[in-house]
Every structure is written in structure tokens, then in C-alpha cells.
Amino acid sequence: MGVARGEETSGLPLEVFDPSPVGVLVTEGKEHRLVYLNDALRAMFGDRPLGTPVREAFSNLLQQDSLSLFDRVLETGEAVRRDQATARVACPSGGSQERFFHYSLSKIPLPGGKSGVLQVIVEVTEQFVATRRMRTLAREQRRLLRRYQSLIWVNAHTVWVSDPSGRFREVSPDWKKMTGQTREEYRGYGWLQVVHPEDRASIMDAWLRAAEEVPPLIEQVFRVRVLDGTYRHFRLRAVPVCKDGAVVEWVGASTEIEQEWQENRCRKLLDRAAAAVADITDLEEMFQALADVIVPELADACHIHLLPELADSFSDVFVTERIATAVRAGLPRMLRRQKAHHPSDSEFMRAVRERRPVYLSFPPGEPPPYYDAKARVWITEARAHSQTIIPVVVQGEVAAVVVAAVCGDRPSIDPADVELMGQILDHTHDALGMALRFRRTQRVALALQHSLLAEPPHVPGMEIAARYQASPAAAEIGGDWYDAFTLPGGAVEVAIGDVAGHDLAAAVWMSQVRNMVRALAVDRDEPPGDILHRLDTALETLNGETTTVTCVLGRLEAAGDGAWRLTYAVAGHLPPLLVTHDGDSRFLREADNPLLGLVFHDRPWISAVVPLPPASTLLLYTDGLVEQRGEDLDRGLDRLRRYAESLAGEPLNGFCDGLLTSMPMTGEDDVALIALRVPPIG
């Protein structure tokens, strides 16, 4: 270190600074010549020759103001401190690096009565860089926070802070702009006062669950009353702020999503309506499915009226049939299958004539005077206050009318909801058109079918009843038929049969077969088996295409002493059932013959004769009464026998109706039956 390392200052050697971890240098005199450098300083800046003025020794490091500080400290004796001084220091690998230091200057006495300056230097480059990094991070954090807040303000109407239980502490000013609530009104749970009453319970339940479970995100959709008094849908999203594992507050945002909610609702209802009618062909079932979509989503009640065909909409009173009803829980029920009368000057008829929706409002429970008595009773009990009447136009004509109503405290039907109901009906237009055509075709077919079936004759002492039930699953006319007529000698001829097929051709052929049976039975007095034989020959000759026919033909005649007997023959048909007055029964299987029209049959056609006990019932029927898909036919026949025995004591009409209501029919085929009950003795 040279001479200076052995010198002393006021008896204290300068070597005392050698082990110091901070840099130390000492200068002497007004020229500030170096008299001491410790190892830490040399490590910072490199070695410098002693005796050299500090200006020259550190010319590449010291700034002008630093040199003036040396002069001031030496002259005044006042110590000086500087923080975060910078110096560019050479690197061992070449080049230079900016480094940061703290230093202090103080006056120090030297041997010989001289004075000098002691400089203590601490390098703080790492600390400064870390501090600068932290400041940069803080600035970036503030920038990101401002960006996040900006995004929230762009996408949310309100930003708020609540306590762990959902009590609002702070809310952005937009809350007041939207709802009119002041700070005093919304604080705590006051904000719930502008939430729709029907949504408050679910929101509170969500907060209570969140307080226990602490999910990473709460999301709720609810309605808020805005300044104009209407309710609009908002989405609430909130995240927890936790400390030591406990929620200290929730930070959230609420965004209006009314348009998004309406669009989603519309799409869901249209999808529900399409799915509801997808697999339905019956018009009444289809309208009932649509009424169930409308209630309770769009209205509290909905009933649908079917308009009569070829009706005059300008008559004084218009009569419709209510075929579908749906009512929200808690309201009085409405009966289906009821007639309704509508005066020509009613709003109902205005909707029919103008083919556009009509809206009407009235005091709760006080309907307009032109409503019929049943409608007035329901409106009064349900406290209905507004209705919309929507005509259903199918294929250019008004086929039905939808009447939707709201009741009690529910707001009046919104025009957007009326439009949505119209969209639902339009969305299902094709399905409704097909169902309407099916219904009309089925009615025409049924009317034609009944016109081809004769009324049973009146026979003194004998009861005769017949039933025909068309398949609800098919619009075409079927080939089932029955017949009963009296012969010249007083005997009663009875027949039932089924022509293969389920279309107009089958019905026409059925009518021809029935007429041929009548002609052949009247032509000559012969057993039913022989008549069926001649019928088979006629079918083979007249029928250009192979069509099979089943048939039962029987003749009932008095046997003397008030007794009756049956002579019968069966051609490929189900066996007749004989039920006694006491409830015993058996199938008649003694006269089976082949199917008519199937193959040439050269064997004799057989007939059988059985006595009929007094007050017994003879039942002829077609397969639609007993057949079940995938079930053995014998089970269906056994089921028919048991039901028939249980109804043996009923009047003949009750006997027939009881079979139709008791037997589990599939509805895939028509059902025809004819029953004859012979008189008791005497």
C-alpha cells in the first residue's frame, strides 16, 4: 500500500479500514491526493497510484459536482451523503457496465496537523436493479389493473364489492343510473329490492352456498328493475378475495344480457316446440304439446280452439271446440273437449277474420261482456287480466285459434312474447298442416266407412248391437265389415269379415264382398259353408288381383219351444264366441274353412250347428280387438273370453262398449264387432 499504509491519523492507523467490506479512500490537502485505498475499493474500481490527485486518479469516474463536494467537506468540515450515484466501470471480460453506489464524504485529521477527506463507498447495483425491477413490476401491475378495469367498464354495467355474505359495500355509479338506488339504498342487502321477487330466493341461496363452499367463481342470471320500471336480465359474476384461507370480500361485475337471454330463450322454445311435435300425427296431441310449451314460459294459461270445417265466420254466433288446454300450477283447471260460443263482434272473431293476433287487457278477474259463461267463470277465479288471441293459419285458412292469458301479479303479455308464440306456430307449420290433413282425411274415411256398414235389423225378441272403431293411427279406410239381415223365412243372417289391405281399394272390395254375401244368402236356402264356397268361387272369378278375405257367416233361427240354434261357417277368421247368461263361454271352432281368395279348394266346405242357450250372447269380431304386437294370439283370445264372461249380465250395448274400453287394443288396426243376444225362454 506504500508509505500511507503505515501512517497514523491522530494515533489511529489507516490499516483499520483494510478488512472493511465497503470501499474506503482517504485524500490529503486541497489537491485531494490519495493517501489510502483499501482492498474493497480496489475490487470495485481497480488500483490507483497513491499521491495522485483524486481528479486524475478517478478522472473516468468522478463527475464535476463530486469534486466540488471534496472541496466543500474539506473547507466546512460538514459531512455529505449521496445515494444512487452512478459510474461506468470496466468489466474484466472487456467493455464497461453502469453500476450504482451509495457514498459519504467526511473530514478526517491526518498526521502533521494536516486534514483530509474520508470517502466511504457502498455498491448497491444489485439492490438498485432489484428495486428498479420492483418498480417496473409495480408500474406494469398498475397498467394491467387499469386495463382490466377498463375491460370491466366496457363489458359490465356495474362493478361492486360485497362482504362474504353478499352485502354490498361499494358499487360503481352506473348502478344508480340503471336502478335509481342511492348508496344508502343499495348498501347491505338493499340491492335485492330491485331484483325481481321471483329471483331473490335463488340468489340468496347461491350466496349462502358460496359462503360455505367458496367456489372460484359465482355466476347467476337474474332480473333487475331498471329506471323505466321494467325488468331486464343481468348476469352476475363474482370472485372471492381470500386471506388466510377465509373469504374477506367478493369482487364482481353485473352485465345486462337481455338481448342474449331473449335470443337463447327463443331458440330453446322453438327447439322444444319442434321436438314436442316431431313424432305426433294426431292434431289434438300436437296442439296439446304446443300449449305445454307456451305454459308457463310465456303465459299462465293457454287453450286452443279448433274451428269447424266450412264454417261461416260472419254468422251471429261462431262455435268452436276446445281441444287443448294448459294451466300454470295453482290456477283453476280448464276442461278439454268443450264447445265455446263466440259472438260475431268479439275479439276472438276479429282475430279470425283479420288473420292477425289480437291483444286485449281488462281489470283482473273482470272479462269483457261478450265472453261466454264458462270463460267468464274461469277468468274471474284465475284473476286473469290480459289475453292474446292468435289465429293459426294452415295452408291459407284459419284452422285453429290459440288463446293465451296471464293472471294475478304477472305483468301483461309482452309484445315480444306474442311474436314468439307466432314464431312457435310458424316453426311447426308443416307438422300442423300434415296433422290437419290427416284428421280431415280420417274423418272423411270414417264417414265413408260408416256409410258402407248397414244398421242391424230389428228382430222381435232378439237384441243386436254392432260397433266399429277406426284405427287412430291410419287415415285410410279399412276392410273390416259386419252385416246382419233377416231372411224371407224369418231367420237372421249375421256376418263379419276383413278384406286384406287398409286403403280405398280394400274398402271398395269390402263393400262388394258384403253385397255378394247378401245376394248369395238370399238366393237359396243352404248352409253357410256352401254359401262361403260359392263366395270363394265368385271372388276367384271377379277379382283380377289376388285379395284374401276372412269371414264368419251364421244363421240364427228358432228351433221350437222358444229355443234358438246357430248354423255357422268360418273362413280363415277368428272363431265366434258364445257367452251364456250365467257367464260361461266357449269359442266355436267346429266349422273352420280356408281363407277366401287364397287357393282353389276342392274339399267340401263345412258348417256346424250349435244350440243357443236362453239369453246367451253370440259375439263376432275382427282381429283388431284381440291382437297385440309380439303376443301369441291365444293370449288375446283368452283375454277376450274373460272380459266377455265378466260382462255377460250387462245389457247388450253395455256388453259391447265394455269390451271396447276393457280390451288393451294397440290402435294399429280397425275394430269391428257384432253381438246378438237371443231371448230367454218365455
Side-chain angles (χ1 to χ4, degrees):
M1 170 112 195
V3 180
R5 187 180 291 276
E7 294 178 352
E8 296 183 357
T9 61
S10 302
L12 182 65
L14 295 177
E15 285 82 352
V16 71
F17 300 118
D18 285 351
S20 175
V22 300
V24 178
L25 67 81
V26 178
T27 63
E28 179 187 54
K30 294 182 178 180
E31 294 183 353
H32 308 296
R33 294 180 180 275
L34 292 175
V35 295
Y36 176 79
L37 296 173
N38 72 348
D39 293 337
L41 191 82
R42 291 188 180 89
M44 292 180 191
F45 305 113
D47 198 7
R48 297 292 191 274
L50 299 179
T52 306
V54 71
R55 179 193 303 273
E56 298 176 9
F58 294 97
S59 60
N60 62 328
L61 299 176
L62 293 178
Q63 300 175 357
Q64 184 62 38
D65 61 339
S66 300
L67 293 174
S68 63
L69 292 177
F70 276 85
D71 294 337
R72 193 175 77 183
V73 170
L74 188 61
E75 293 175 0
T76 64
E78 180 182 354
V80 175
R81 176 182 174 86
R82 290 290 183 270
D83 294 331
Q84 296 182 359
T86 62
R88 184 160 291 279
V89 180
C91 298
S93 59
S96 61
Q97 178 185 14
E98 184 180 36
R99 301 171 76 175
F100 300 88
F101 304 90
H102 293 336
Y103 68 87
S104 64
L105 300 172
S106 56
K107 189 174 181 180
I108 183 174
L110 296 175
K114 298 179 180 180
S115 296
V117 176
L118 171 67
Q119 184 176 27
V120 179
I121 303 175
V122 179
E123 182 173 359
V124 293
T125 301
E126 292 184 2
Q127 296 90 328
F128 181 80
V129 170
T131 300
R132 186 165 60 179
R133 185 181 298 113
M134 291 299 295
R135 289 175 178 172
T136 301
L137 289 175
R139 287 194 301 270
E140 182 67 13
Q141 185 179 27
R142 288 193 294 271
R143 184 180 67 83
L144 293 175
L145 180 59
R146 286 194 300 270
R147 178 186 295 176
Y148 176 71
Q149 290 173 336
S150 298
L151 289 174
I152 289 180
W153 286 109
V154 168
N155 292 283
H157 280 84
T158 58
V159 180
W160 45 264
V161 178
S162 77
D163 69 8
S165 299
R167 298 179 181 89
F168 275 13
R169 292 172 175 168
E170 297 294 336
V171 180
S172 61
D174 281 341
W175 182 260
K176 181 178 181 180
K177 295 178 182 177
M178 281 192 315
T179 67
Q181 279 193 318
T182 63
R183 176 185 175 88
E184 291 73 20
E185 291 172 333
Y186 70 67
R187 281 181 65 85
Y189 288 129
W191 62 278
L192 285 172
Q193 296 305 311
V194 294
V195 174
H196 196 285
E198 296 177 2
D199 297 340
R200 293 173 189 169
S202 62
I203 290 179
M204 288 307 303
D205 288 343
W207 278 115
L208 293 174
R209 289 196 306 271
E212 296 178 0
E213 302 170 4
V214 191
L217 174 68
I218 298 177
E219 184 167 351
Q220 285 278 307
V221 174
F222 56 94
R223 290 164 288 180
V224 173
R225 187 182 67 243
V226 294
L227 278 177
D228 63 3
T230 62
Y231 285 94
R232 303 184 71 81
H233 286 82
F234 280 72
R235 177 183 289 117
L236 174 150
R237 286 175 173 159
V239 295
V241 178
C242 300
K243 183 178 181 181
D244 300 328
V247 178
V248 295
E249 63 184 14
W250 293 88
V251 179
S254 299
T255 306
E256 182 188 331
I257 58 166
E258 183 66 25
Q259 182 175 354
E260 174 188 342
W261 187 87
Q262 293 290 354
E263 291 173 353
N264 290 337
R265 178 199 193 199
C266 177
R267 183 169 57 254
K268 290 178 181 178
L269 286 177
L270 293 179
D271 291 344
R272 278 182 56 195
V277 303
D279 299 323
I280 300 176
T281 57
D282 181 74
L283 186 67
E284 295 185 17
E285 292 182 16
M286 190 171 293
F287 274 127
Q288 183 60 52
L290 293 179
D292 292 335
V293 171
I294 292 173
V295 175
E297 189 68 34
L298 300 174
D300 291 322
C302 175
H303 50 275
I304 301 177
H305 297 259
L306 186 66
L307 271 62
E309 299 175 23
L310 304 176
D312 182 7
S313 62
F314 295 94
S315 60
D316 292 338
V317 178
F318 193 76
V319 181
T320 62
E321 181 182 9
R322 189 163 60 205
I323 61 172
T325 65
V327 180
R328 175 176 57 82
L331 293 178
R333 301 289 95 187
M334 289 190 296
L335 297 178
R336 292 177 60 184
R337 315 292 300 181
Q338 280 196 340
K339 300 292 184 181
H341 298 78
H342 311 278
S344 60
D345 58 349
S346 65
E347 298 297 321
F348 185 99
M349 293 309 304
R350 182 161 71 91
V352 172
R353 286 192 293 267
E354 297 179 2
R355 299 191 177 191
R356 63 179 181 84
V358 171
Y359 176 82
L360 59 153
S361 178
F362 41 85
E366 300 180 18
Y370 49 75
Y371 275 72
D372 64 22
K374 294 178 181 178
R376 294 180 64 83
V377 169
W378 185 89
I379 290 174
T380 301
E381 293 179 354
R383 296 188 68 249
H385 56 78
S386 63
Q387 287 185 334
T388 184
I389 305 170
I390 306 174
V392 182
V393 180
V394 179
Q395 298 172 348
E397 63 178 90
V398 179
V401 175
V402 175
V403 180
V406 295
C407 309
D409 297 331
R410 184 169 182 165
S412 299
I413 297 178
D414 189 272
D417 289 347
V418 176
E419 181 180 355
L420 182 51
M421 291 182 206
Q423 291 181 24
I424 290 174
L425 297 173
D426 291 342
H427 198 61
T428 56
H429 176 273
D430 292 344
L432 289 173
M434 292 180 61
L436 186 64
R437 289 195 301 272
F438 182 88
R439 178 187 176 91
R440 290 176 175 173
T441 303
Q442 192 177 46
R443 285 191 168 187
V444 172
L446 186 59
L448 179 58
Q449 182 85 22
H450 281 291
S451 70
L452 297 175
L453 299 174
E455 286 293 327
H458 174 69
V459 179
M462 180 180 293
E463 297 179 65
I464 305 175
R467 298 289 186 272
Y468 178 83
Q469 184 169 292
S471 166
E476 293 85 1
I477 307 171
D480 293 20
W481 58 279
Y482 61 80
D483 199 5
F485 52 93
T486 56
L487 297 174
V492 177
E493 198 83 11
V494 61
I496 197 164
D498 188 1
V499 175
H502 212 285
D503 51 20
L504 184 60
V508 171
W509 190 233
M510 173 271 289
S511 178
Q512 294 175 348
V513 170
R514 190 199 68 169
N515 292 334
M516 282 191 285
V517 169
R518 282 196 166 206
L520 294 174
V522 174
D523 176 60
R524 65 185 69 171
D525 185 11
E526 60 183 355
D530 294 343
I531 296 174
L532 292 180
H533 185 196
R534 288 199 291 147
L535 176 63
D536 186 52
T537 303
L539 293 178
E540 183 180 356
T541 304
L542 299 176
N543 186 20
E545 299 179 358
T546 302
T547 301
T548 59
V549 180
T550 67
C551 182
V552 175
L553 181 62
R555 183 170 66 245
L556 289 82
E557 51 193 339
D561 298 330
W564 289 74
R565 67 171 177 266
L566 169 69
T567 306
Y568 74 99
V570 179
H573 200 86
L574 296 172
L577 178 64
L578 179 62
V579 184
T580 68
H581 179 71
D582 296 331
D584 294 329
S585 67
R586 70 183 182 94
F587 288 106
L588 307 181
R589 302 179 182 273
E590 294 83 4
D592 289 343
N593 294 283
L595 202 67
L596 297 170
L598 184 60
V599 293
F600 177 74
H601 182 58
D602 57 355
R603 289 179 297 174
W605 287 64
I606 61 175
S607 303
V609 180
V610 295
L612 300 178
S616 61
T617 302
L618 176 69
L619 175 68
L620 310 182
Y621 53 93
T622 57
D623 53 6
L625 185 65
V626 295
E627 285 188 343
Q628 293 280 332
R629 185 187 297 272
E631 180 184 76
D632 186 77
L633 179 60
D634 288 339
R635 293 189 61 183
L637 291 173
D638 185 61
R639 184 165 52 239
L640 172 64
R641 182 181 57 79
R642 294 197 309 271
Y643 280 121
E645 290 175 351
S646 68
L647 296 167
E650 296 291 327
L652 192 60
N653 284 319
F655 176 87
C656 296
D657 293 336
L659 290 178
L660 291 177
T661 56
S662 300
M663 292 293 289
M665 295 173 288
T666 64
E668 297 177 357
D669 199 0
D670 299 342
V671 176
L673 61 88
I674 185 167
L676 300 91
R677 180 169 292 172
V678 298
I681 294 295

